[in-house]
Amino acid sequence: MVSSPVPHWRWHTLDSAADLDPVPPVITEELAQDWCNFVVWRPSELPGGCDTSTGTIRREAPPGRVEAEGRSPWTDANPSGYRTEISGGGRRLRLKQFLYDWAFPAADHPCLWGSETRAYEIGEGRVVWLGTDYMGHRAAGARMLRTTVELSVLEGEFTDDELVAFFAALRPAVPQAAARVPATPFAELSYWARQPAEMVSVPTGVFSFHRRGTEHEGDWVASGEVTAFLAAQGVPVSAGGYHADSAATFGDGAAVRELDVVYTTASGGELRLTAQRTGGGRLEFPPQRDKHPATDELLELDGRPLYLGYTDAEFGACDAWWQHPDGYELRLLGSAGTGLGREAFLGLVTEIDAGLRLGGRAGTLG
């Protein structure tokens, strides 16, 4: 018997930015899931002495700047997000959950960008990173079934063991959503793929690459056309256990600068491939290091230089840059996990490169 495909996730949105709640309302994780384009997680255990957990929702609305508590001050975008404050015994922490979809999440733990980080396994192939956030708070971050989950310590002290145990005890609030959200193509989930929101210039990995502009210039391929589109570009539709579910071109008007491909797994793993005509886009080759603490190496791929960076050799997150013999540059980013460290990632780079050479010149980029 052939199993039926998992239906794509659908969620509620507001019709206008003017409809945003002036103050994010209190709501349980279970009820919040219907308003979120990501898997909402709930704590199954609280740290010792903590006896209060209060969650609030920021609902999705079209772009627009309004006076509403909790919305991001650095963009006109109004994506959904869920915030939880946990407290007790003189200690307090904050948990934020959202789909990080305006760029690839830098080093897979963007809230810790620029700080020394440490990775710990938390089960199901996932890892949590501990470090310091941009506010100087002791903090942690993980991507779980695509959801970016960020923790900041607001008051008191929490040990590493407590924070790791807290993340390991997080559970999907709605099991059905935990199956449907990862089965939904990134382009259908992403706020920035669906809305004309301002682009946000942020770091994306070990090596420097930023997209800047007042208008979102990504042209996303319809979900049902991704396979045919990539075949026409000579780009492989799968690598290892990853399958391409979304693709976009970025440019200015008629001139295509870059092609992005999002590869995912059912467990939430993600690869992001960027390709551009040599010198025709924003990938500057050879790459320059960004400021996040990491290891970088210069290797060789079939006689060509391969620049590799990673935060942790065992868990990733990895960043690779190289050139195709036909005259375009490539970058592959990977999420972190127990099966996506340095060696496994290099295997994916080799497989994708072989698929590109077998496919010939990338149509849009050749």
Side-chain angles (χ1 to χ4, degrees), residues 212-230:
R212 298 177 173 88
T214 57
E215 296 182 2
H216 184 73
E217 57 186 59
D219 184 12
W220 290 84
V221 178
S223 296
E225 300 173 7
V226 170
T227 298
F229 173 80
L230 293 180

Side-chain angles (χ1 to χ4, degrees), residues 93-117:
L93 59 81
R94 179 192 65 214
L95 199 68
K96 294 170 65 176
Q97 303 183 52
F98 54 96
L99 179 66
Y100 195 109
D101 55 345
W102 53 91
F104 191 87
D108 220 44
H109 46 275
C111 65
L112 307 178
W113 180 254
S115 80
E116 294 285 348
T117 56

